[in-house]
Amino acid sequence: MARYIILILLLVNTAISALTIELNTASQNSAPKYFLDKTNNMQGLCIDIMNAIEEVDSEVKFSGYNRFVPFKRIKKMLKSGELDVFFGFVKTESREKEFIFINPPLYKVNHVVAVRSSDIIDVNSFEDIRLLKKDGKLLTSFGTSTGRYLEKQGGLYVDSSGKTVLANLKMLLRKRGRFVYYHNLGLATSIKMEHLESKIKILPTSFREYFQYVAFSKYVSGQAIEKIQLALQKLEKNGILKNIFNKYTTIDL
């Protein structure tokens, strides 16, 4: 009898394993998309989305997100099939030739500016900032696509000497610039993590917007991709995707 029970359990486990689709991924060291908490567990916006997908579809499992991998390597691994999927990818024409993107997008990112809370300035465009001349100095992070985008606008006073968002926020408080320019995700996260809500505010104007998506390796099966897409559609419809995003972008004063 014991042998039959063991055999049945083995068959059940085999059947469950056959139904489960496990997708290998990785984390990018970029809060709030991915970050380590105080106990060294991986957390973040994209981790929450993966967890929500697993709850919607119990046959889907993600693995490998407990490690940070440089973004350039993530792209290479995704292209070669070493990674199956990555959450939080900007879709471009060139990337669409190398990877498979699905709808809906995970969330929208906005380029915004932060100022000192005491500053009553209100700007609606880059032209408003240009008119301020040197009094409209923009602080942004060194060597980032955000900084390169600013430089292309022309006529702006840009200081990209700060290596991190936090460094730029500290420069802002020391009045070494009028604005910190970055995306709303990174700014909100840094302000909350450093408890600067009473000292720094984010202005509502969006200077640029784009979406972040799920990107798959071209080696992943159509069945797996379809299951993730259906799960995301459910999460969008029931408002969970939006709630997860708001968790990381809302600043409570």
Side-chain angles (χ1 to χ4, degrees):
M1 176 63 83
R3 289 182 179 178
Y4 286 113
I5 293 174
I6 292 172
L7 180 59
I8 291 170
L9 290 173
L10 286 172
L11 290 172
V12 170
N13 287 334
T14 301
I16 291 173
S17 297
L19 290 172
T20 301
I21 295 175
E22 183 171 316
L23 297 171
N24 188 33
T25 187
S27 292
Q28 177 191 7
N29 192 355
S30 177
K33 288 166 63 175
Y34 304 93
F35 61 90
L36 291 173
D37 64 17
K38 294 179 181 179
T39 58
N40 282 327
N41 289 317
M42 194 67 72
Q43 304 289 341
L45 170 58
C46 291
I47 299 295
D48 286 358
I49 293 174
M50 281 187 265
N51 290 338
I53 289 172
E54 290 178 340
E55 289 183 11
V56 168
D57 190 335
S58 59
E59 294 179 2
V60 174
K61 299 296 177 187
F62 298 101
S63 62
Y65 54 74
N66 59 335
R67 54 179 173 157
F68 283 134
V69 177
F71 188 60
K72 286 185 179 180
R73 190 177 166 205
I74 286 174
K75 289 189 287 186
K76 289 181 180 179
M77 293 171 73
L78 197 62
K79 186 176 180 179
S80 69
E82 189 176 350
L83 290 182
D84 297 314
V85 64
F86 181 71
F87 282 71
F89 219 175
V90 177
K91 180 167 63 174
T92 64
E93 189 174 331
S94 61
R95 288 178 180 175
E96 285 189 276
K97 296 176 183 177
E98 298 180 326
F99 313 112
I100 298 171
F101 292 86
I102 60 171
N103 285 311
L106 299 176
Y107 50 84
K108 183 171 69 174
V109 176
N110 290 287
H111 280 197
V112 294
V113 292
V115 298
R116 293 179 293 277
S117 294
S118 58
D119 196 337
I120 60 171
I121 190 72
D122 182 26
V123 292
N124 297 300
S125 66
F126 280 127
E127 185 57 30
D128 288 346
I129 297 177
R130 288 189 189 95
L131 292 173
L132 296 171
K133 299 184 179 179
K134 290 185 178 180
D135 191 38
K137 183 190 286 186
L138 291 145
L139 305 170
T140 194
S141 300
F142 174 78
T144 62
S145 59
T146 311
R148 291 190 291 272
Y149 178 75
L150 265 187
E151 294 289 353
K152 289 179 182 178
Q153 304 312 307
L156 299 169
Y157 288 86
V158 179
D159 181 347
S160 58
S161 60
K163 293 184 178 180
T164 65
V165 178
L166 178 57
N168 286 324
L169 292 175
K170 289 180 177 179
M171 290 169 66
L172 177 71
L173 292 175
R174 295 197 298 269
K175 298 186 178 182
R176 291 181 56 185
R178 186 76 178 268
F179 307 98
V180 175
Y181 183 93
Y182 201 54
H183 56 69
N184 54 335
L185 275 175
L187 277 175
T189 298
S190 295
I191 290 170
K192 287 196 289 186
M193 290 179 71
E194 297 300 319
H195 307 292
L196 297 174
E197 294 92 336
S198 64
K199 298 179 180 180
I200 295 174
K201 62 185 177 182
I202 297 175
L203 299 186
T205 298
S206 174
F207 295 86
R208 183 190 183 196
E209 61 180 40
Y210 51 89
F211 292 91
Q212 298 261 352
Y213 291 82
V214 181
F216 291 89
S217 165
K218 290 195 172 182
Y219 295 95
V220 175
S221 71
Q223 179 191 9
I225 294 172
E226 184 179 6
K227 287 178 78 65
I228 303 301
Q229 185 165 29
L230 287 172
L232 279 177
Q233 288 171 350
K234 290 179 181 178
L235 293 172
E236 181 185 47
K237 187 175 181 179
N238 62 22
I240 291 178
L241 266 185
K242 184 177 181 180
N243 291 340
I244 292 173
F245 180 74
N246 289 341
K247 172 183 171 182
Y248 292 93
T249 55
T250 301
I251 296 177
D252 298 319
L253 298 177

